[in-house]
Each structure stands twice: as C-alpha cells, then as structure tokens.
Amino acid sequence: MLMLVVWIAVAVLSLVVLGVLAHGLLGAFQRLGRELEAAEREVRPFLEQAQATAARAAALQAGGHGAGGQEVGRRTADAG
C-alpha cells in the first residue's frame, strides 16, 4: 500500500515538473518570437535600402558604361 502511494506521488511530481518545463519552454518561444519581430522591424529599413542599392547597381550594369563609368573617370581625373 505504501509503495502505491509513493508511485502516485512520483507520478504527480513528474507531471508537475513536466508542466513547469513546458510552461517555461512555451514562454521562451513566445519571447523569441517577439524578439525576432522587433529585430525585423529594426532591420527592415536597412534591408530596403540595400535592395534599392542592389537594384540601382544592376540597372547601371545593365545599362552598359553609363554614368558609372563616367563617374569613375571623373574621380580618376580629379585625383591625378
């Protein structure tokens, strides 16, 4: 009879420990999600600026030796 009570107590304690661990894990995942959303909001302007710069560079390269080549030549002439 005493062993049955001990096993029931062990099972209940195990469930309590698992519940606490699950609660902590879910809270950590929610915190992580909020942190990722905040980081994305902070980084978004830089990402958009980098994409615009990449698009502008691709347009200049696709256009041939347009303003990019003239700009480099002008800098070289000023430096020398």
Side-chain angles (χ1 to χ4, degrees), residues 14-47:
S14 298
L15 289 175
V16 168
V17 168
L18 286 176
V20 167
L21 287 175
H23 184 267
L25 218 67
L26 289 175
F29 279 127
Q30 288 176 351
R31 253 188 328 275
L32 179 62
R34 287 192 305 266
E35 289 289 331
L36 287 175
E37 288 173 3
E40 184 178 349
R41 279 193 308 271
E42 291 176 6
V43 172
R44 181 160 306 278
F46 299 112
L47 178 62

Side-chain angles (χ1 to χ4, degrees), residues 59-72:
L60 287 175
Q61 284 182 350
H65 300 294
Q70 294 171 354
E71 187 69 27
V72 171

